[in-house]
Amino acid sequence: MRTRKLGKTGFDVSEIGLGCWQLGGDFGPVGEEQATAILDEAIRQNVNFWDTADVYGGGLSEERIGAYLPKTSGVRVATKLGRGNGMMPDGYTKAAVRESLEGSRKRLGVEVIDLAQLHCIPAKVLEDGEIFTWLDDLVDEGLIRFYGASVETVNEGMTCLNHPNIASLQIIFNIFRQDAAAELLPRAMAQDVGVIVRLPLASGLLSGKFGKDHQFDPTDHRNYNRDGAAFSVGETFNGIPFDKGVELVEELEEFKPDGFTMVDLALRWILDHQAVSTVIAGVTEPQQLISNVNAAEKAALSPVLSANLSDFYRNKVRKHIRSGI
C-alpha cells in the first residue's frame, strides 16, 4: 500500500483509507464480529488512516475503534464534531466543541486526537470563522494535534482554506462529482492542506453492483435518506436519484479499460489527482476493502479517458445532482 502526506500534518497515510460510518450501524446492522473483521483486514492491508465521527452510531463507531487500537500501532484516526452535542444548527460554543472532543478522546481511548474535523457544519458558522480560533486553542491545550473540516460544497471548502492552520479538507469527490478539480484541489495543494475524499463510490452506486430493484436495510441511510429526509441529500448517492444513478453507471461501463472493474475505475480516477491524500470508502465486508486496495495498484488512466470522463460528467451527470456542489 502506497502512502501520501496528509498535508501539513506530516502524517504518512495510506492512499486507501477506511471510512468508519458503517461501524456505527448506519449502513445496516454491523455486529461486533463483523466490525472486528473489517478492522483486522485494514491492518492486513496496511490501511492506516481511519475516519470516524462522534455521531456515527451515537459514538459506537468511535468506541469500537477505541477498543481495537490497543491491538495495533501506526494507525492514524481522524474523527469529526459539530453535528452532535447540541451544536447543530446554532449551538456552537467553545465549551460545546471542547466537550464534544473530550467525549471522542475518551471513546477512542487516546490522550490526543490526531485529527479533529468540523462535520459539515452550517456555512454561516464557517464564514464567521470564530470556531477555527477555538480549535487553535485546543491544539495549544493538547487536546488535538491538528484540525480540518469535512464540507458539503466547493464554496465551503474555499472558505475553510482562508484559515491558515487548517490541515485537511474532507470533500465529496468522484466521477459523479468532479467540480473540486478546477479550483479547490489546486488551492489546497498550494497551501499544503491534505485532501480526504469521501463518498468515492457515491454510496456504492459506482461499485456497479446495484440494480433499480435493490432493497436497502431500513437502518441504512441509503434507504431512509434517499431523498434527503434525515440530512443533506448530497450525502446519499451523491444527491442523484437512485434510479437515475443506476442508469448512469450502466452508461459508464463502456469507459472501463480492459482488466478494470467499476470500483477500479472509480478509485483510480480519484487517485490520479495529485492533491488527494487518501480516499475513505466505507465497507461492510472485508473483501470490499481488499477490492479497494487492489484498485489503488492499477495504472493511471490515460489523458484521453480522463477527458472523456470529464465530458460525461458535465453532459450527463451534473444536472441530476440535487444538492449544492
Side-chain angles (χ1 to χ4, degrees):
M1 169 64 70
R2 289 184 291 266
T3 62
R4 301 184 182 189
K5 291 290 184 185
L6 183 61
K8 59 175 65 78
T9 70
F11 298 157
D12 289 311
V13 296
S14 49
E15 288 185 332
I16 299 297
L18 179 64
C20 296
W21 190 0
Q22 77 285 5
L23 299 186
D26 296 300
F27 285 76
V30 173
E32 291 293 335
E33 184 176 336
Q34 186 178 356
T36 299
I38 291 169
L39 298 180
D40 283 343
E41 193 61 49
I43 297 302
R44 279 193 289 269
Q45 297 296 329
N46 295 315
V47 172
N48 74 344
F49 182 78
W50 302 354
D51 175 88
T52 185
D54 58 347
V55 293
Y56 292 168
L60 178 60
S61 176
E62 288 181 328
E63 289 171 358
R64 285 175 161 171
I65 291 171
Y68 191 93
L69 286 178
K71 305 175 186 177
T72 188
S73 63
V75 173
R76 295 293 184 180
V77 177
T79 193
K80 296 186 286 292
L81 71 144
R83 300 191 69 83
N85 205 38
M87 285 187 273
M88 180 68 80
D90 55 8
Y92 294 91
T93 65
K94 186 175 182 179
V97 168
R98 178 186 281 107
E99 182 180 35
S100 178
L101 288 170
E102 289 282 10
S104 291
R105 179 166 68 172
K106 181 177 180 181
R107 287 186 292 273
L108 291 170
V110 297
E111 292 185 7
V112 183
I113 295 171
D114 285 331
L115 177 66
Q117 304 161 98
L118 299 174
H119 194 180
C120 300
I121 66 174
K124 65 180 182 180
V125 180
L126 294 175
E127 292 162 3
D128 173 78
E130 188 175 10
I131 197 166
F132 295 101
T133 66
W134 302 339
L135 292 170
D136 284 330
D137 290 343
L138 296 176
V139 170
D140 291 341
E141 292 177 19
L143 179 56
I144 58 178
R145 287 192 173 89
F146 299 96
Y147 66 82
S150 180
V151 297
E152 296 280 4
T153 68
V154 169
N155 283 342
E156 290 170 359
M158 297 295 269
T159 296
C160 292
L161 289 175
N162 292 330
H163 298 274
N165 293 330
I166 194 164
S168 67
L169 275 179
Q170 186 176 137
I171 63 171
I172 302 172
F173 185 59
N174 56 54
I175 292 175
F176 282 0
R177 184 78 75 88
Q178 299 187 22
D179 294 67
E183 295 183 26
L184 182 62
L185 292 190
R187 184 175 170 190
M189 191 170 180
Q191 294 181 207
D192 196 24
V193 172
V195 173
I196 302 163
V197 171
R198 75 177 187 279
L199 293 182
L201 301 180
S203 302
L205 269 180
L206 289 167
S207 69
K209 67 181 182 181
F210 298 143
K212 291 183 180 180
D213 59 350
H214 189 91
Q215 297 295 313
F216 295 94
D217 189 275
T219 63
D220 191 324
H221 75 98
R222 293 172 293 184
N223 181 322
Y224 65 78
N225 195 59
R226 184 174 292 198
D227 296 310
F231 43 83
S232 171
V233 71
E235 296 287 346
T236 302
F237 301 125
N238 226 68
I240 299 169
F242 179 68
D243 286 359
K244 174 54 66 174
V246 172
E247 292 175 8
L248 291 169
V249 171
E250 291 172 352
E251 292 185 53
L252 196 61
E253 288 280 346
E254 69 180 75
F255 292 93
K256 288 190 309 184
D258 290 343
F260 273 59
T261 65
M262 187 60 71
V263 170
D264 293 338
L265 177 64
L267 297 183
R268 187 65 257 172
W269 181 86
I270 297 169
L271 289 170
D272 283 350
H273 292 81
Q274 189 180 1
V276 171
S277 300
T278 186
V279 180
I280 53 169
V283 302
T284 55
E285 300 292 342
Q287 185 57 46
Q288 294 170 325
L289 184 56
I290 296 171
S291 175
N292 295 343
V293 169
N294 289 341
E297 301 303 318
K298 294 290 186 178
L301 305 181
S302 71
V304 171
L305 177 53
S306 295
N308 289 339
L309 290 171
S310 293
D311 290 341
F312 180 80
Y313 172 69
R314 286 194 301 270
N315 298 328
K316 295 288 189 75
V317 179
R318 196 176 189 274
K319 60 188 175 184
H320 297 292
I321 298 175
R322 299 171 293 170
S323 64
I325 298 174

